[in-house]
């Protein structure tokens, strides 16, 4: 255990060292911007690698785990692709526009959020609703996310056809002028009121082999940590820390699946291993934190 | 196995951890091959890639101060995925000159870092090379290990 703590400290120290090297390089070679850009880019890539090491040492498989533990995460990518860091200026612009969107959604009451951030190149900003009306905050984030998705899929967007809230969200979406190339919204608690689902109500069809077991009953148990409604898949984290991605049949009730994500631990039992079809999904109370 | 006659061995014995004792050790290409490439077929393939890389790098010899080798390749581990290489350029402009060449290389097998000497970034790479990778060798975390300086 001590060696693990030492490893975490050592990795953190190396991250600090490279971060300091970036600052020192910028200050020392300010007259040589080409060199600074090149050196900083390489140092940032190394920092990214070290962060991945750090996540691993902390028991998180990768940086995505950061947002899995939080309610709603915007992932921002800088102007030069996934490796590019988001500049302070573009972050400032993003936060201003997010504030405008939240105000447009809820003009008569001030909604407050706490923010946590992580960066491994892209910037992960997670917003937790605060104050007495947390559900309203969650609804606001959900509405922003849904509107952003809708607008991004709309061709020939005309400002005259948008309402005030949609205009605010449209301004939040990535544009060159605010320096953010791409934005994703990953939400875990976007559905505040869990739907009641009875046993066997959700049928899951596995489109990919989970495990090569023939003629044997096997089960996958764990907590659903992510649901992708676009390709109808769900990622389950097992008690041993592994992950499995299952694909749903598209005829399923999407709202029901959505509510599974944050409110239940599940036990999925597969009985036809050759067809890899899961026939039954049992919904159980959430796992205690130490079993997540 | 036949000992190469033209090698003046300078690399010390590996420690119980299977890595070099703390320090920087001069190493010729034949010695690198003899000590570290013959442990497995994968290592031999990595060595050939590194040799090819070095011969290409020689075209920019006037830009290079030193070349260092590190990573699992410089250990007794049979399984190793790449060779870590640090190229120290003589000046900032030399670093920028050789950077396009480095970028063209297969970095999956030869993980190349480049930094001009006496720069903050170069110091950081050295610090990184001196330590065990805390992710892969967490049991040795906090301890220092050695790495190689190639005799070009």
């Amino acid at each position: 255990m001590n060696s693990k703590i030492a490893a975490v400290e050592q990795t953190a120290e190396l991250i600090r060292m490279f971060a300091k090297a970036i600052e020192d390089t910028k200050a020392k070679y300010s007259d040589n911007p080409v060199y600074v850009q090149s050196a900083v880019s390489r140092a940032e890539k190394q920092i990214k690698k070290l962060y991945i090491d750090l996540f691993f040492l902390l028991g998180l498989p990768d940086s995505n785990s950061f947002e899995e533990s939080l309610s709603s995460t915007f992932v921002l990518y800088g102007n030069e692709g996934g490796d590019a860091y988001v500049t302070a200026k573009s972050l400032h612009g993003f936060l201003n526009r997010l504030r405008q969107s939240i105000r447009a959604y809820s003009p008569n009451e001030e909604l407050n959020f706490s923010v946590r951030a992580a960066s491994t190149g892209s910037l992960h900003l997670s917003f937790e609703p605060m104050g007495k009306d947390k559900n309203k905050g969650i609804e606001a984030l959900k509405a922003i996310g849904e509107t952003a998705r809708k607008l991004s899929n709309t061709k020939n967007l005309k400002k005259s056809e948008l309402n005030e809230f949609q205009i605010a969200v449209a301004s939040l979406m990535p544009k060159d002028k605010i320096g953010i190339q791409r934005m994703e919204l990953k939400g875990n608690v976007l559905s505040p009121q869990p739907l009641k689902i009875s046993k066997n109500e959700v049928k899951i069809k596995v489109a990919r082999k989970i495990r090569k077991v023939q003629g044997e009953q096997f089960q996958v148990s764990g907590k659903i940590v992510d649901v992708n409604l676009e390709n109808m898949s769900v990622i389950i984290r097992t008690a041993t820390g592994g992950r499995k991605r299952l694909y749903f049949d598209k005829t399923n009730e999407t709202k029901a699946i959505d509510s599974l994500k944050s409110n239940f631990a599940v036990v999925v039992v597969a009985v036809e291993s050759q067809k890899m079809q899961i026939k039954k999904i049992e919904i159980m109370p959430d796992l205690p934190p130490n079993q997540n | 196995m036949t000992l190469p006659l033209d090698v003046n061995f300078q690399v010390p014995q590996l420690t119980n951890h299977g890595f070099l004792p703390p320090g920087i050790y001069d190493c010729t290409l034949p010695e690198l091959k003899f000590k570290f490439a013959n442990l497995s077929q994968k290592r031999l393939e990595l060595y050939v890639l590194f040799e090819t890389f070095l011969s290409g790098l020689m075209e920019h010899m006037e830009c290079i101060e030193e070349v260092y080798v590190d990573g699992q390749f410089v250990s007794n581990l049979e399984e190793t995925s790449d060779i870590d290489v640090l190229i120290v350029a003589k000046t900032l402009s030399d670093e920028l000159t050789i950077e396009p060449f480095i970028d063209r290389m297969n970095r999956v097998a030869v993980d190349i870092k480049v930094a001009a000497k006496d720069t903050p970034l170069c110091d950081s790479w050295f610090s990184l090379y001196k330590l065990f990778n805390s992710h892969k060798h967490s049991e040795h975390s906090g301890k220092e290990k050695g790495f190689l300086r190639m005799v070009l």
Side-chain angles (χ1 to χ4, degrees), chain A residues 8-259:
Chain A
V8 169
E9 287 174 349
Q10 188 187 81
T11 308
E13 179 57 31
L14 285 167
I15 290 170
R16 278 193 290 272
M17 196 176 288
F18 275 95
K20 186 173 185 305
I22 288 174
E23 293 310 310
D24 291 349
T25 300
K26 284 177 180 171
K28 193 173 175 184
Y29 306 108
S30 57
D31 57 339
N32 193 341
V34 176
Y35 170 71
V36 169
Q37 189 185 11
S38 164
V40 167
S41 166
R42 269 176 279 121
E44 285 178 341
K45 280 181 183 169
Q46 187 58 40
I47 288 176
K48 188 175 178 179
K49 280 186 180 179
L50 289 165
Y51 263 118
I52 291 169
D53 286 354
L54 195 59
F55 280 123
F56 178 87
L57 289 165
L58 292 171
L60 304 171
D62 54 50
S63 59
N64 290 331
S65 297
F66 172 79
E67 64 232 26
E68 279 170 7
S69 64
L70 301 166
S71 69
S72 182
T73 303
F74 288 88
V75 186
L76 308 178
Y77 296 84
N79 238 350
E80 294 168 35
D83 282 342
Y85 279 72
V86 174
T87 63
K89 188 180 174 187
S90 56
L91 175 62
H92 181 73
F94 170 80
L95 290 174
N96 262 341
R97 286 166 177 79
L98 181 64
R99 197 165 165 226
Q100 285 168 12
S101 300
I102 290 168
R103 278 189 174 169
Y105 181 82
S106 176
N108 298 324
E109 53 190 327
E110 182 80 17
L111 298 177
N112 293 308
F113 299 86
S114 64
V115 186
R116 286 173 66 188
S119 175
T120 54
S122 54
L123 179 63
H124 299 225
L125 288 177
S126 191
F127 294 85
E128 290 276 358
M130 291 174 67
K132 56 185 177 183
D133 198 354
K134 290 186 179 181
N135 282 348
K136 184 86 175 173
I138 293 169
E139 284 169 18
L141 289 176
K142 183 182 178 183
I144 290 168
E146 285 179 352
T147 306
R149 281 188 202 108
K150 199 173 170 183
L151 293 177
S152 65
N153 292 329
T154 307
K155 291 177 181 174
N156 303 321
L157 207 60
K158 288 179 184 170
K159 192 174 178 181
S160 59
E161 294 172 0
L162 302 178
N163 62 33
E164 193 184 346
F165 175 63
Q166 287 171 323
I167 291 170
V169 175
S171 75
L172 177 69
M173 290 159 68
K175 293 182 185 65
D176 287 343
K177 65 179 180 181
I178 63 168
I180 292 172
Q181 189 194 53
R182 195 152 62 90
M183 178 186 86
E184 295 168 12
L185 175 62
K186 299 185 176 184
N188 276 353
V189 197
L190 294 182
S191 183
Q193 298 299 325
L195 299 176
K196 289 182 180 176
I197 310 166
S198 60
K199 286 181 182 179
N200 303 327
E201 191 173 317
V202 180
K203 290 180 181 173
I204 302 174
K205 188 177 179 181
V206 179
R208 205 170 71 178
K209 284 186 180 179
I210 307 169
R211 196 186 295 173
K212 289 182 180 176
V213 181
Q214 285 201 335
E216 253 183 72
Q217 182 172 316
F218 67 96
Q219 66 178 37
V220 181
S221 62
K223 186 177 182 180
I224 290 187
V225 292
D226 192 21
V227 169
N228 185 335
L229 294 177
E230 285 180 13
N231 66 8
M232 298 296 288
S233 67
V234 58
I235 296 174
I236 291 178
R237 184 186 291 161
T238 62
T240 54
R243 289 180 178 205
K244 299 195 182 299
R245 183 188 286 274
L246 312 174
Y247 288 83
F248 291 94
D249 188 328
K250 286 201 173 187
T251 56
N252 285 325
E253 174 60 53
T254 56
K255 284 181 183 175
I257 297 163
D258 198 20
S259 72

